[in-house]
Amino acid sequence: MQSFALNTIFILISLSHLSIVVSSSKPLNPCNGDFLHTQAYRQMQNQTNTTHCKKLSSLQAQFAWNYHKTSHNQTQLNILIGTKLITNMGWLAWGINPDLPRMVGTRAIIAVKVPNQITPSVNTYNITKDIQLGCKFQPSGIDFMVQNMTVVDDKDVGFFSVFATLVLPQRYNVSSLNHVWQVGYCVDGLEPKMHETSLGNLDSKEVLDLETGDCQNIGQHRRHMRKGTLMPLGVIVARYFKQFPIKLDPCWYYFHYCCQVVGYILGTAGWGLGLFLGHESKYYTFHSHRVLGICIFGFTTLQILAFQFKPTQEDEYRKHWNVYHHFLGYALLVMIPVNIYKGIKLLKPNNITWKWTYNGILVLLGVVVLALEIVTWAIFLYKKCCKKTVEESSPRRVEIEEDNKGQTKEGSSSRTIEVQE
């Protein structure tokens, strides 16, 4: 049976990884929709036939560019970035980082829109660690020339766009340009304030090849929901295939164990990845998601250890072990879906596909549980009723004492007969 359990674990792990595809780069994802009809894009496209345009990986932003080498071996880069601001106040930023694809160290162009302002303002900024720690954010010069900075608030198509011409020195590699973008909705006067801390905002960075349009997304890790599916499946097996409605002894135990172990392995990998991302994003923390993740990891570790230290059926501590094991199991059934929903909200706040996908998984599991619960109780009550009927209809022994003289006295004989009722 141990070899059966190990083989089952191996098969489940193999199946769970069939959908994993590792890709370090992505081809150009062309622009579409209203961005292609903005006046700024049409003007830029008319300047040259080599304009590239792509949808960026987050914040519903789209980005167009063209470039050429100058006589001084510098790169003249024309850029246009746009997104749909959902309020009449906010800011849009785009910039490049000569060192790493991250916000700190970026030379940025930021356009600010406030109510009742005829023309939005646009300036260059140096983004330092002090800015992320809350210091005042003021326009400043940067280490390359920026010309023709223009903001277009195209209300007809709803796009807020920024155009600029950059003259880049040789240190900026056009085949692997670290560029970042950001959107915020909080403004103090003309000073852009802190943006939201969803993963869409934190993952707004990539390494872009200006020649081909290929890019390497940084920090965007897809979180699979295998742990939130396998562990409830293991609970279902333990609940409904131990006695009622189907007795699969001892196979139910090994399948239950395999589901929990595979779920634990995948969940631990996700937890470790979360710790790594938290370390890389030291200025941003998601407290409730983090606390729930730590609690889930701790509880699942205790559940796995429980398999190794399970008392025998005859042990007096077995009933206490059962209470502990069941309590943690049902607590995890509540905590895991809650944390998955929190993770989906952080990762894809504007994409309901993931949410409804997991809704469908939970509904399917709920329907299976409800059906098995009804069948379990139906079989249990039916067997109980049949047992009672059999007991009532079985012969019972009735002792009748006969006294030939009409009274009981010492030495009188008695006889027992069976009476069929």
Side-chain angles (χ1 to χ4, degrees), residues 258-318:
C258 292
C259 286
Q260 306 308 82
V261 170
V262 174
Y264 178 74
I265 293 172
L266 296 174
T268 302
W271 184 70
L273 178 61
L275 291 179
F276 171 76
L277 293 178
H279 175 74
E280 291 296 307
S281 304
K282 62 182 69 177
Y283 297 103
Y284 309 103
T285 56
F286 308 104
H287 295 287
S288 58
H289 186 61
R290 182 178 183 179
V291 170
L292 276 175
I294 293 173
C295 292
I296 289 170
F297 174 75
F299 285 4
T300 50
T301 301
L302 290 175
Q303 289 290 73
I304 296 300
L305 291 176
F307 285 106
Q308 304 301 322
F309 300 103
K310 181 174 66 172
T312 62
Q313 291 285 358
E314 296 77 19
D315 197 305
E316 61 177 327
Y317 294 104
R318 180 58 182 263

Side-chain angles (χ1 to χ4, degrees), residues 237-253 372 375-376 379 383:
V237 171
R239 172 74 175 89
Y240 299 106
F241 294 92
K242 186 176 181 180
Q243 292 292 338
F244 294 102
I246 303 173
K247 186 175 182 179
L248 296 177
D249 194 24
C251 294
W252 73 267
Y253 172 79
L372 290 173
V375 172
T376 297
I379 294 176
K383 289 186 176 182

Side-chain angles (χ1 to χ4, degrees), residues 59 195-203 286 345-347 349:
L59 304 179
H195 57 76
E196 294 180 357
T197 56
S198 70
L199 286 187
N201 292 89
L202 302 184
D203 287 345
F286 308 104
K345 185 177 180 181
L346 293 173
L347 183 63

Side-chain angles (χ1 to χ4, degrees), residues 22 43 70 75 161 170 225 285 292-293 312 317 346 353 407 416:
V22 178
Q43 290 177 350
T70 67
T75 302
S161 307
Q170 294 183 8
M225 296 177 287
T285 56
L292 276 175
T312 62
Y317 294 104
L346 293 173
T353 303
Q407 58 182 356
T416 303

Side-chain angles (χ1 to χ4, degrees), residues 88-90 112-118 120-121 187-191:
N88 61 354
M89 180 175 68
V112 178
K113 180 173 77 168
V114 296
N116 303 322
Q117 185 183 27
I118 299 176
S121 63
V187 176
D188 183 8
L190 294 177
E191 179 188 359

Side-chain angles (χ1 to χ4, degrees), residues 124-178:
T124 58
Y125 295 79
N126 264 315
I127 302 178
T128 64
K129 288 184 178 180
D130 295 334
I131 302 302
Q132 286 192 321
L133 294 174
C135 294
K136 196 170 180 64
F137 197 21
Q138 295 291 343
S140 60
I142 54 179
D143 62 357
F144 54 81
M145 184 184 299
V146 181
Q147 302 170 334
N148 305 324
M149 288 191 297
T150 307
V151 183
V152 180
D153 189 7
D154 199 333
K155 293 182 173 58
D156 293 334
V157 293
F159 259 89
F160 186 72
S161 307
V162 177
F163 173 84
T165 299
L166 289 61
V167 181
L168 303 178
Q170 294 183 8
R171 64 181 299 200
Y172 292 92
N173 187 355
V174 296
S175 62
S176 57
L177 189 68
N178 304 315

Side-chain angles (χ1 to χ4, degrees), residues 239-240 244-245 366-382:
R239 172 74 175 89
Y240 299 106
F244 294 102
V367 170
V368 171
V369 168
L370 180 62
L372 290 173
E373 193 70 24
I374 292 174
V375 172
T376 297
W377 278 101
I379 294 176
F380 174 75
L381 294 175
Y382 174 76

